[in-house]
Amino acid sequence: MQKLQGIAVSPGVAIGEALVMDNEGFRIPRRFVARDTVEGELERLGKAIDAASNEISHNRDAVSQELGNKYGAIFEAHFQMLNDAQLRNELEEMIRERHYSPEYAVSRTLRRYAQVFQKLESRYLAERANDIFDIEKRLLRHLLGLRREGISHLTSSVVVLAHNLTPSETANLDREYVLGFVTEIGGLGSHTAIVAEALEIPAVVGTGPFMTDVSGGDLVIIDGDQGLVIIQPDEETVARYRHEAEEIRTLATQLEALRDLPAETADGISIKLYGNIEFPYEVDHCIDRGADGVGLYRTEFLYLGVEKEPDEDVHFQAYSRVVQTMGSRPVTIRTFDLGADKIEHLPDPEDERNPFLGLRSIRLALRNLPMFRTQLKAALRASALGNVQIMFPLVSTLMELRQAKMVLADVMEDLDEHGMEFNRDMAIGIMVEVPATVMMIEDFAEEVDFLSIGTNDLIQYTLAVDRSNKDVVGLYNAADPAVLKLIAITIRAAANKSIPVNMCGQMSGNPVYTMLLLGLGLRQFSVTPSAIPEIKKICRSVNIEQCKSIAERVMAMENARDINSFLKRQLRNTVPELGQ
Ligand code: PEP
Ligand code: MG
């Protein structure tokens, strides 16, 4: 049994067989071969070794000729390792005695060798592990050939273990079979984490290296609440987690009863609970949880994992599905927030050293007007079908807001000319995600119909902490007094100007902060749909006076740790079943 501590990004418990994806996306499940095919499998292994050896000696000769023998020697060493009699014996024995498939035997044995090197004190020797991985990959390429499979064609339930998953790889995980996932890198606010929540599967990221310690088929437990991963757990641990999974299901069933009740505090203040979505199908999750609308539709996911930029019709189809399903309830379409960790189809500018400070979101939109206009046109057309509002991401200056509004007005004129219907009075809002925006919030509030606080980015820009970097995750904290002050200022400014303010960053879906936010005056929360029942439960269990006094105490505290433990205590006392 081996335990790994990572960062909890999507709650719940998953127990299942590991599907290990290496960096090239190979998947190597534990497969057994039938007794009467052993000879054939040994022959397949022999052929793969021969083919790989030929390839290596060819590389050795070519490199020696181009760069000299010193460099050719790297491949000579690979050649020697691959043709080592001891290695060959071990592989053959695993196939003959244990009936493992050659792929599994190769992966397991070479990973074990690599592990020995990785544990050596010498950095030079530890790096030799990479040579062994190289040999492993080469052999697997020959063994798997065309049978190389991605993770899109699964036939049984698995937990996916990978070094990293991009947001679009995560989005493409097969929800029917993938029970959860773990990645070695990644941080709390990364978009991979956000997609995991959308898929409603437990996920842990940023565990640090584990790929050499685990083989396909190993039993793995993912504890998405504690950020814990247990490889090859003992029976007692499995039993404990099965029990916990059962308890989570029971709580979810209890909360389901709240679905059609209003989100209203005990003293009768009405709260709006909206859903955050990334994909149109999630609108059904919103309906299932009784959401008051869609508070954030991250439309950039239309651009991820596709070969070509989505055209107006692709946008319109997606928006109309969401808008029509929500009926009269508002749908907040956020214009594409590409860039930073959601780049993909855009050329990666070589000099983009700080993508989070670079050409992303509204900045990117204003530099790519045809792309921006296409999206706005589709959103406006969808506004004729229901209750659409439009929201611009990462606005940091008034000029940007004005420019974006001008483009929108221009697109409206265009639609008018073509006699197309749209809602001329569609509400226009901005995300509040940059401290500079908060400093100017009174002015912004004059020029928009609503505000929405994006705490994921607001925290990262306030505390200068990359939201997707596991090495600084300890510094990324929603409860930091500086962050709370910016939130309080924004809520107050919205009240002064009588415009609605929503919060759509992940903080709003965390039960620990609900009472504080109510106390600061927040009346609209937009959260991942699965979090709606919990937040509603808290709203219905508290009164505003109590929340105000909690907020007053918190705002007088000076560090995040004290604030967090105080808030956790308050939650445990008020709604014990949700207290952590
Ligand atoms: C945020 O920054 O809080 C937010 C909701 O936007 P995203 O997570 O998509 O950057
Ligand atoms: Mg953001």
Side-chain angles (χ1 to χ4, degrees), residues 191 334 337 342 360 393-394 431 433 454 456-457 467:
H191 289 93
R334 177 176 76 179
D337 185 1
K342 295 179 282 197
R360 66 170 287 206
L394 207 84
M431 301 272 299
E433 308 183 88
N456 304 341
D457 277 313
R467 62 193 263 194

Side-chain angles (χ1 to χ4, degrees), residues 520-536:
L520 290 175
L522 192 73
R523 298 293 177 260
Q524 300 193 3
F525 295 69
S526 191
V527 304
T528 192
S530 61
I532 290 177
E534 286 184 3
I535 303 299
K536 189 184 278 187

Side-chain angles (χ1 to χ4, degrees), residues 465-539:
V465 176
D466 179 344
R467 62 193 263 194
S468 57
N469 181 342
K470 81 175 175 62
D471 295 326
V472 286
V473 72
L475 303 171
Y476 183 91
N477 204 327
D480 191 283
V483 174
L484 297 181
K485 279 192 179 144
L486 294 169
I487 292 171
I489 293 172
T490 307
I491 296 173
R492 220 175 304 128
N496 288 345
K497 304 282 174 183
S498 304
I499 58 168
V501 56
N502 184 7
M503 178 181 284
C504 63
Q506 283 158 301
M507 180 182 188
S508 62
N510 186 339
V512 172
Y513 302 117
T514 314
M515 285 190 273
L516 165 66
L517 294 170
L518 288 170
L520 290 175
L522 192 73
R523 298 293 177 260
Q524 300 193 3
F525 295 69
S526 191
V527 304
T528 192
S530 61
I532 290 177
E534 286 184 3
I535 303 299
K536 189 184 278 187
K537 169 88 184 157
I538 300 173
C539 293

Side-chain angles (χ1 to χ4, degrees), residues 177-190:
Y177 294 115
V178 177
L179 303 171
F181 73 82
V182 185
T183 59
E184 292 182 325
I185 65 171
L188 205 53
S190 65

Side-chain angles (χ1 to χ4, degrees), residues 108-223:
R108 197 176 169 105
T109 310
L110 286 170
R111 274 160 191 248
R112 194 166 52 74
Y113 277 36
Q115 229 175 336
V116 173
F117 277 93
Q118 276 179 331
K119 290 198 176 121
L120 294 174
E121 292 288 304
S122 143
R123 197 186 173 120
Y124 171 79
L125 286 175
E127 279 174 8
R128 297 285 71 75
N130 285 334
D131 290 307
I132 298 181
F133 286 131
D134 208 54
I135 297 173
E136 180 208 359
K137 284 210 179 94
R138 202 183 284 280
L139 268 178
L140 285 174
R141 259 197 301 270
H142 284 285
L143 279 169
L144 291 164
L146 289 178
R147 296 188 303 123
R148 224 177 118 173
E149 298 162 285
I151 48 170
S152 47
H153 301 106
L154 297 173
T155 50
S156 63
S157 297
V158 289
V159 297
V160 171
L161 306 183
H163 172 65
N164 187 22
L165 291 172
T166 63
S168 71
E169 279 169 337
T170 313
N172 285 321
L173 291 176
D174 186 339
R175 287 194 299 148
E176 198 178 337
Y177 294 115
V178 177
L179 303 171
F181 73 82
V182 185
T183 59
E184 292 182 325
I185 65 171
L188 205 53
S190 65
H191 289 93
T192 298
I194 286 166
V195 178
E197 280 191 332
L199 297 175
E200 302 194 353
I201 55 174
V204 173
V205 303
T207 56
F210 63 76
M211 296 287 278
T212 47
D213 303 337
V214 59
S215 303
D218 284 353
L219 191 66
V220 174
I221 296 176
I222 302 178
D223 178 340

